[in-house]
Amino acid sequence: MYSESTARSGHTDDAPLLAKELSWKHRMKNKWYRMDRVSRVAFSLVFLALGAALVSRILIEVFSPFDNWPRTTIPPRLDDDNNSARTDGERRKAVRAAMQHAWQGYRDHAFGKDELQPVSNSSNNKWGGWGVTLIDALDTLHLMELHEEFKEGVRHVASVDFTKAKAGYTTPFFEMIIRSLGGLLSAYEMSLDVRLLKKAKEVGDVLMPAFNTSTGIPYPRVDVNTGQAVASQRVCIAEAGTVQLEYWKLSELTGDPVYHETAQRVVDLLDKADKPHKGLYPIWVNIETGKLESGSITFGGMGDSWYEYMLKQYIYSRREHDQYRRMYEESIDSMKELMIGRSIYNPDMYYVGDLDSTATNFSPRYQHLTCFVPGMLALGSKALDRPDDLELAKQLTYTCFQMYNRTSTGLSPEYVQFRNKANFGLSAVTNTSDFDLVSLRKADKKEKEDGFYLGPNRSYILRPETIESIMIMYRITGDKMYKEWGWQIFQAIEKWTRTPSAYSAYKDVTSTKGSKEWTDSMESFFLAETLKYLYLLFSPADYYSLDEYVFNTEAHPFRIMRHTRP
């Protein structure tokens, strides 16, 4: 019988042709003509979609590739030439072993709880019982290729109900965004385990009621058990302005713009707020009016990551959102003008102090928390072509390292203090106002050698900021001195804070009493940040490259967007 299909293929019953004798083109034609009309349309649409995706990818690489950006980190060749692979490998293994030790202690004594107490081997749920240490540590486990530990952690996370917390507890919005949401998003991008993205969305959603205010400025706490935010008159600027990167990443990965749009309104409002000096923000924000109120101006606690995220959102957005660049440069220019101090005994020692709410009175104290600033400046110097910022970053990193190097344990206190030429400074023995300068006794030999003196808080709580800056400084300058500084700090951590089960905060860094100074506390950021940055310091500079990732303020790496979205 003469059919349409045989006519089109050129074959008739009078001249049959076996399938094995047909060319692949003829076989494809036969299959095509045997398909019904609906199947042909569906096949055509799939083919067109794949073609469009391929063309789109090619166009992105041609017209806006990452390779066309100014390079942030050192070339791989310099990394190889500058360091012994054997030495780096040994140090990396030592940091990995420290992570294994801390994780094993947590697994044995506190698995699923918020924190291990590493001296008593007990646990606590001070963050509401979500298992914050586990979530915060997930991407560190993956990054260090501790895959079995990672898988075990993911299985537990998949079982957590983030719509609930321990009875009577109100969840701190900012802390759970940077630790829990940030940790889940980063772990998802590393592993592509969809359970993690599902849980990240759950965390993001359960904390969204914080934005239910007349201005959109978030409340600082949420009762996840009731689904309501806890009313408050004010919030510190770091808490309000350090959730945008995480919610933007959540929008990118879920395709839902509401997260980014909601968080972005906070930036827009604070950008327009009246300030005592261009680019400088007092730490307290009135939630109902959106106005900046009283409080110090600081790049330390309660202000720090607000400034950090200006730069990181600019980089994350592929340098397309100029608002963030402008805000960052305004803040850094004013910081350099008004907030940089210098030791009167060591001319190489610079620091970032604080200002009062009027930006007129200066506090000569350098917080460990502020030691993230040199890393930020170094990153900004490359991303924004600001070479002078890199020179200041080198000077500030030197001071941050000396905060460790000048103590008897090699650990840094929470802050150091400086005197002015009139011999006034903050009290060395009592906690006073940040701006209540007193007449100081004559400087002793140690203060003159160190360039600073210590205040009453001499604890080290396993903080990461100096290591963060050292890692970034190495990757940007290629100067192997920074690796030596980082290794020295790691050795001090191992010597003085390692317990039989994990690592403990240390009460007095001037004391060599060892275990008597342990405070039975290990914050989740030790696993999330301190050990991660140490590991990256001794890894090749293109491993989680600063050209491809931005790290949130809890050291969770987010891939830079391949393209921006509305």
Side-chain angles (χ1 to χ4, degrees):
M1 183 173 181
Y2 197 84
S3 68
E4 179 185 3
S5 62
T6 55
R8 291 188 181 185
S9 62
H11 305 135
T12 69
D13 291 337
D14 295 329
L17 193 61
L18 295 176
K20 65 180 181 180
E21 295 173 338
L22 291 172
S23 69
W24 68 270
K25 292 183 179 180
H26 283 95
R27 290 198 299 270
M28 292 301 295
K29 275 186 178 181
N30 284 339
K31 289 181 180 180
W32 175 258
Y33 290 121
R34 290 190 186 111
M35 294 168 64
D36 58 40
R37 188 179 301 275
V38 173
S39 298
R40 292 181 191 177
V41 170
F43 183 85
S44 299
L45 289 175
V46 170
F47 183 79
L48 289 172
L50 290 173
L54 178 61
V55 171
S56 174
R57 179 72 265 156
I58 292 172
L59 289 175
I60 288 173
E61 291 299 333
V62 170
F63 293 106
S64 57
F66 283 116
D67 292 344
N68 284 348
W69 293 9
R71 189 172 184 86
T72 297
T73 54
I74 57 175
R77 182 183 58 78
L78 179 59
D79 192 41
D80 292 339
D81 292 346
N82 205 16
N83 302 279
S84 162
R86 179 179 177 183
T87 299
D88 277 352
E90 291 171 352
R91 291 177 175 182
R92 195 161 56 248
K93 287 179 181 177
V95 176
R96 188 175 187 265
M99 180 65 183
Q100 289 175 299
H101 177 65
W103 177 260
Q104 191 63 46
Y106 173 77
R107 184 181 183 275
D108 290 344
H109 304 292
F111 192 80
K113 305 294 184 181
D114 283 337
E115 288 182 354
L116 166 68
Q117 294 177 224
V119 179
S120 63
N121 289 334
S122 56
S123 62
N124 68 62
N125 277 328
K126 77 174 196 179
W127 299 109
W130 284 358
V132 170
T133 291
L134 187 153
I135 297 168
D136 226 2
L138 276 178
D139 60 0
T140 306
L141 293 171
H142 196 282
L143 182 146
M144 293 186 184
E145 299 182 341
L146 296 169
H147 295 307
E148 291 306 312
E149 293 87 339
F150 176 82
K151 291 176 183 177
E152 183 181 29
V154 172
R155 285 195 295 270
H156 176 79
V157 167
S159 70
V160 176
D161 184 354
F162 290 103
T163 66
K164 297 178 181 177
K166 68 180 182 181
Y169 182 78
T170 57
T171 300
F173 175 60
F174 156 75
E175 292 289 355
M176 291 305 98
I177 290 295
I178 66 170
R179 299 188 195 214
S180 296
L181 179 56
L184 291 168
L185 290 169
S186 176
Y188 166 71
E189 283 202 304
M190 290 181 178
S191 67
L192 298 181
D193 190 318
V194 294
R195 293 174 295 177
L196 293 169
L197 181 58
K198 178 182 177 181
K199 288 300 178 180
K201 185 177 185 303
E202 191 175 306
V203 171
D205 287 339
V206 80
L207 295 176
M208 282 290 280
F211 292 107
N212 293 339
T213 65
S214 59
T215 58
I217 300 290
Y219 288 127
R221 304 188 79 90
V222 176
D223 186 338
V224 300
N225 294 315
T226 65
Q228 301 292 320
V230 180
S232 177
Q233 184 178 5
R234 66 181 188 176
V235 63
C236 79
I237 198 163
E239 292 179 332
T242 312
V243 300
Q244 286 70 22
L245 189 59
E246 293 78 7
Y247 271 124
W248 202 350
K249 174 57 73 173
L250 185 59
S251 281
E252 179 194 355
L253 294 177
T254 63
D256 187 346
V258 69
Y259 304 111
H260 169 56
E261 291 170 355
T262 302
Q264 176 61 31
R265 292 189 195 106
V266 179
V267 178
D268 294 338
L269 189 60
L270 295 177
D271 183 18
K272 297 173 184 176
D274 291 334
K275 307 167 189 67
H277 193 88
K278 187 176 183 179
L280 298 180
Y281 300 74
I283 59 174
W284 290 115
V285 183
N286 186 300
I287 293 173
E288 296 307 312
T289 66
K291 294 181 178 180
L292 300 170
E293 292 190 332
S294 61
S296 62
I297 296 167
T298 179
F299 280 71
M302 303 175 76
D304 44 7
S305 46
W306 162 247
Y307 300 99
E308 175 188 359
Y309 271 29
M310 295 175 187
L311 175 65
K312 289 186 173 179
Q313 287 187 95
Y314 179 67
I315 295 172
Y316 174 71
S317 70
R318 300 182 68 255
R319 312 182 194 195
E320 292 184 6
H321 283 245
D322 198 61
Q323 175 191 22
Y324 306 131
R325 179 204 57 77
R326 172 184 53 76
M327 291 175 67
Y328 174 78
E329 291 189 332
E330 288 174 356
S331 296
I332 298 308
D333 289 345
S334 292
M335 180 198 77
K336 291 165 70 174
E337 176 188 353
L338 299 176
M339 301 178 70
I340 301 299
R342 191 176 186 181
S343 170
I344 64 173
Y345 297 118
N346 184 343
D348 295 326
M349 189 169 284
Y350 291 76
Y351 65 95
V352 183
D354 299 334
L355 294 172
D356 68 0
S357 61
T358 66
T360 55
N361 294 311
F362 180 76
S363 175
R365 173 184 288 162
Y366 195 22
Q367 301 178 44
H368 191 291
L369 281 166
T370 313
C371 280
F372 86 94
V373 168
M376 175 183 69
L377 290 174
L379 196 58
S381 74
K382 294 298 184 179
L384 301 172
D385 191 22
R386 292 170 57 98
D388 289 348
D389 288 357
L390 183 58
E391 296 309 307
L392 178 59
K394 293 175 182 178
Q395 295 161 336
L396 295 173
T397 307
Y398 169 77
T399 306
C400 291
F401 171 67
Q402 294 304 327
M403 290 165 65
Y404 286 81
N405 191 44
R406 296 290 183 170
T407 69
S408 51
T409 58
L411 300 173
S412 171
E414 275 288 275
Y415 52 80
V416 296
Q417 301 177 158
F418 297 82
R419 70 174 67 213
N420 61 29
K421 292 180 179 179
N423 281 322
F424 277 78
L426 296 165
S427 173
V429 294
T430 60
N431 289 307
T432 60
S433 164
D434 288 345
F435 306 97
D436 186 12
L437 303 189
V438 298
S439 179
L440 299 173
R441 56 169 174 71
K442 186 177 180 180
D444 58 21
K445 180 180 179 182
K446 179 169 176 53
E447 182 185 345
K448 291 179 179 179
E449 291 176 349
D450 293 348
F452 53 73
Y453 63 97
L454 304 188
N457 187 341
R458 301 181 177 190
S459 64
Y460 173 65
I461 63 170
L462 307 172
R463 287 203 185 277
E465 291 79 17
T466 295
I467 293 297
E468 174 186 359
S469 284
I470 285 174
M471 185 276 287
I472 295 172
M473 290 300 295
Y474 169 70
R475 288 195 168 195
I476 285 178
T477 67
D479 190 336
K480 64 183 179 181
M481 168 188 69
Y482 294 113
K483 289 194 171 185
E484 299 309 313
W485 288 2
W487 182 244
Q488 180 178 319
I489 292 171
F490 174 69
Q491 289 179 305
I493 291 171
E494 281 286 297
K495 180 176 182 179
W496 298 105
T497 74
R498 185 181 175 111
T499 76
S501 60
Y503 295 82
S504 172
Y506 202 82
K507 186 177 180 179
D508 184 353
V509 299
T510 67
S511 168
T512 55
K513 294 179 181 179
S515 60
K516 293 182 179 179
E517 298 293 339
W518 292 342
T519 66
D520 202 19
S521 171
M522 183 177 72
E523 288 267 8
S524 68
F525 57 63
F526 178 65
L527 286 75
E529 300 186 69
T530 309
L531 292 178
K532 182 184 289 146
Y533 283 133
L534 279 163
Y535 188 82
L536 291 173
L537 175 63
F538 303 117
S539 298
D542 58 358
Y543 188 62
Y544 287 89
S545 168
L546 299 177
D547 290 302
E548 298 176 5
Y549 291 86
V550 291
F551 290 74
N552 88 331
T553 198
E554 192 75 6
H556 298 305
F558 293 168
R559 285 187 179 274
I560 293 171
M561 296 179 74
R562 296 301 301 190
H563 57 86
T564 56
R565 301 190 179 195

